[in-house]
């Protein structure tokens, strides 16, 4: 499936030369997503219901005011490729319009799990690979989700979520309701 990013507006803050106490206070507004700071690495972590994500020094924080009202982290190089500043503003950015490849994780049925694994590049061709993949499929069925390694950390992906392949080949899961707010499907499978 192909989708096109909508040009929605977001608030974005760069984690660079900031007052760390004030920055952590900003990121701590959602009490359901605890924030922690590692002084040694200068990384900031947010515990999300689907996993913990890490913000590296120099990267961006997006305030998803148009979707789930949560903070998300974005690698600075990807941010520069996919966002543009709204003129005469400081923290307001607009998502650039671009196309992505994506797939819906339809269900916990074998064929739907395999389609997502294939999209991730786990295409099994030989008997040994098929046996390993089948073990992985059984594990996914039992736990009820698939774990996606994103640039910011491992996140759980549940049936009906959409898996997107980003502009640098990175993967990230998106809840269907948020996907529909941010993307238009331009080619369905």
């Amino acid at each position: 499936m192909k989708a096109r990013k909508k040009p929605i507006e977001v608030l974005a803050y760069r984690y660079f030369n900031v007052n760390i106490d004030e920055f952590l206070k900003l990121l701590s507004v959602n009490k359901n997503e605890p924030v922690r700071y590692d002084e040694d690495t200068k990384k900031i972590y947010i515990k999300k219901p689907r996993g913990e994500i890490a913000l590296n020094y120099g990267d961006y924080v997006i305030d998803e005011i148009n979707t789930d009202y949560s903070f998300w982290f974005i690698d600075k190089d990807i941010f520069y490729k996919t966002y543009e500043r709204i003129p005469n503003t400081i923290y307001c950015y607009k998502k650039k319009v671009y196309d992505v490849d994506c797939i819906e994780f339809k269900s916990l049925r074998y064929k739907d799990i395999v389609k997502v694994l294939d999209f991730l590049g786990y295409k099994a061709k030989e008997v040994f690979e098929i046996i390993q993949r089948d073990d992985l499929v059984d594990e996914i069925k039992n736990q009820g989700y698939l774990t996606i390694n994103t640039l910011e950390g491992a996140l759980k992906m549940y049936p009906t979520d959409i898996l997107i392949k980003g502009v640098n080949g990175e993967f990230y899961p998106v809840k269907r309701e948020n996907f529909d707010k941010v993307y238009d499907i331009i080619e369905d499978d």
Side-chain angles (χ1 to χ4, degrees):
M1 166 167 58
K2 280 210 177 284
R4 183 165 290 139
K5 192 82 145 183
K6 295 176 184 178
I8 66 171
E9 295 180 9
V10 299
L11 297 176
Y13 314 97
R14 186 157 185 224
Y15 175 37
F16 183 76
N17 289 334
V18 298
N19 175 314
I20 192 64
D21 292 328
E22 290 299 315
F23 202 64
L24 292 172
K25 189 191 245 182
L26 168 74
L27 297 176
S28 297
V29 295
N30 184 344
K31 300 301 177 202
N32 295 323
E33 296 184 351
V35 175
R36 68 181 176 90
Y37 175 64
D38 184 322
E39 261 184 62
D40 295 332
T41 64
K42 290 189 174 182
K43 284 188 179 184
I44 296 173
Y45 298 88
I46 292 182
K47 180 76 173 150
K48 300 217 165 250
R50 295 168 175 256
E52 186 173 67
I53 60 173
L55 175 65
N56 294 309
Y57 190 76
D59 287 346
Y60 278 83
V61 175
I62 302 300
D63 187 350
E64 285 286 358
I65 54 176
N66 294 308
T67 56
D68 59 6
Y69 302 99
S70 293
F71 291 108
W72 292 95
F73 304 151
I74 297 180
D75 171 271
K76 71 178 176 358
D77 295 328
I78 293 172
F79 181 83
Y80 295 140
K81 285 181 181 180
T82 59
Y83 288 84
E84 58 192 8
R85 186 187 308 274
I86 296 172
N88 303 316
T89 69
I90 297 175
Y91 300 114
C92 296
Y93 289 81
K94 181 173 68 172
K95 292 183 181 194
K96 294 179 182 177
V97 175
Y98 58 92
D99 296 352
V100 294
D101 291 320
C102 53
I103 188 168
E104 182 179 4
F105 183 18
K106 293 184 178 181
S107 76
L108 289 171
R109 293 186 334 205
Y110 179 88
K111 72 176 188 154
D112 293 330
I113 295 171
V114 167
K115 283 181 183 179
V116 174
L117 292 175
D118 286 350
F119 185 76
L120 286 165
Y122 298 120
K123 295 185 183 203
K125 296 175 184 147
E126 297 180 21
V127 173
F128 184 67
E129 293 171 327
I130 292 170
I131 292 169
Q132 283 186 317
R133 184 189 63 199
D134 288 350
D135 289 344
L136 181 56
V137 169
D138 288 342
E139 182 182 321
I140 292 165
K141 282 182 179 182
N142 289 334
Q143 63 192 18
Y145 61 86
L146 195 130
T147 301
I148 304 298
N149 291 318
T150 73
L151 293 177
E152 295 76 31
L155 293 176
K156 296 174 185 172
M157 180 177 173
Y158 296 96
T160 72
D161 288 351
I162 306 293
L163 181 62
I164 296 172
K165 185 175 186 179
V167 296
N168 283 355
E170 75 282 6
F171 292 98
Y172 55 97
V174 178
K175 289 181 187 177
R176 182 62 194 233
E177 64 193 57
N178 292 337
F179 175 86
D180 291 338
K181 293 174 184 175
V182 179
Y183 293 89
D184 287 318
I185 295 173
I186 56 174
E187 183 181 309
D188 209 348
D189 293 336

